[in-house]
Amino acid sequence: MSLPDLFAPCSATVADVLRHYDGGHATDDGAHDVSHLARVWCLAKEIAADVPGVDLEALAVATLLHDCVSVEKNSPDRARASTLAADVARKLLVRMEWPAARVELVAHAIAAHSFSAGITPTTDEARILRDADRLDALGAVGIARVFYVAGRLGSRLYDPVDPFAQHRELDDATYAIDHFERKLLHLTYGLSTAAGQRIGRERTDVMRAFLTQVRRELGLA
């Protein structure tokens, strides 16, 4: 199955974009690779089904390109990644002679999807992409991604003295477990679509159950 096939029913549009795009999607970051794009698209479609009037093709292209500029999570330039990706998308779609309004629809969705960028989404497409991208950080896949990224960045699993930061500041740059309380368990509160909030609550429950089991295995419950 090719990359455009993963973006049904917008496969033809995605294939057309890829024919004009010379950036590729090769990355050694398994948390933001093609499988991530496919998962985010599945979530975006599910959310969009409850939102009338969404430009599904623009949403598909925004999903395809939302991580086209790769910046490591521990880089000082991390907050600029989404705006850099939006610039790449904007230039590409202008070359493809997309209407200006649709170019900006895609560019804004990409720029606003990032947690670290802090850009408020002002369109349905931007709200959907942001929710879908955040949802991929939750649930069983979200748990896997936490520890994948921790290994990639050289973090430890947890503080052996105080695993759940009862008597210290949270430090998710050092301890993977801290990332749940530091960020992930609170992501659902920032989701802006009804479907996104529903999925987010379900996936957060999966993470809480996982952490409960970790407590048991560490003899803390």
Side-chain angles (χ1 to χ4, degrees):
M1 181 177 289
S2 68
L3 179 54
D5 291 336
L6 297 173
F7 278 81
C10 299
S11 300
T13 300
V14 167
D16 189 36
V17 170
L18 288 173
R19 278 192 292 270
H20 292 82
Y21 177 55
D22 57 7
H25 277 88
T27 175
D28 63 354
D29 182 357
H32 296 89
D33 56 5
V34 169
S35 62
H36 168 66
L37 299 182
R39 292 192 304 270
V40 172
W41 176 238
C42 285
L43 286 162
K45 284 192 296 183
E46 183 175 354
I47 297 169
D50 290 340
V51 184
V54 170
D55 186 333
L56 202 61
E57 288 185 335
L59 180 59
V61 173
T63 303
L64 174 72
L65 299 175
H66 78 278
D67 281 337
C68 67
V69 174
S70 179
V71 180
E72 289 284 8
K73 285 187 177 295
N74 59 353
S75 168
D77 291 328
R78 178 65 181 177
R80 299 181 59 234
S82 68
T83 55
L84 293 173
D87 288 342
V88 170
R90 184 181 289 110
K91 292 173 183 176
L92 169 63
L93 296 177
V94 167
R95 290 201 309 270
M96 293 178 64
E97 299 183 347
W98 274 44
R102 293 187 84 202
V103 170
E104 290 309 312
L105 189 68
V106 171
H108 171 65
I110 293 172
H113 91 272
S114 169
F115 186 92
S116 54
I119 297 171
T120 301
T122 60
T123 65
D124 285 335
E125 292 77 11
R127 285 185 282 270
I128 291 168
L129 178 58
R130 189 178 73 163
D131 279 11
D133 186 64
R134 293 185 181 188
L135 287 170
D136 195 49
L138 300 178
V141 169
I143 293 168
R145 289 180 71 194
V146 167
F147 294 105
Y148 171 85
V149 172
R152 181 182 174 86
L153 300 180
S155 302
R156 303 176 187 176
L157 294 180
Y158 58 87
D159 180 346
V161 176
D162 188 2
F164 288 91
Q166 299 299 301
H167 306 289
R168 61 175 176 81
E169 294 293 324
L170 290 166
D171 179 9
D172 59 350
T174 304
Y175 305 114
I177 285 288
D178 285 23
H179 194 54
F180 291 91
E181 184 58 46
R182 178 72 176 81
K183 178 180 178 183
L184 299 181
L185 296 179
H186 310 289
L187 277 182
T188 297
Y189 302 120
L191 300 178
S192 55
T193 64
Q197 290 168 4
R198 172 181 55 78
I199 299 167
R201 288 191 295 270
E202 293 170 357
R203 294 190 175 201
T204 300
D205 286 345
V206 170
M207 290 184 135
R208 292 190 186 280
F210 166 76
L211 293 172
T212 296
Q213 181 62 23
V214 171
R215 287 180 180 275
R216 292 193 186 104
E217 294 182 12
L218 296 182
L220 299 174

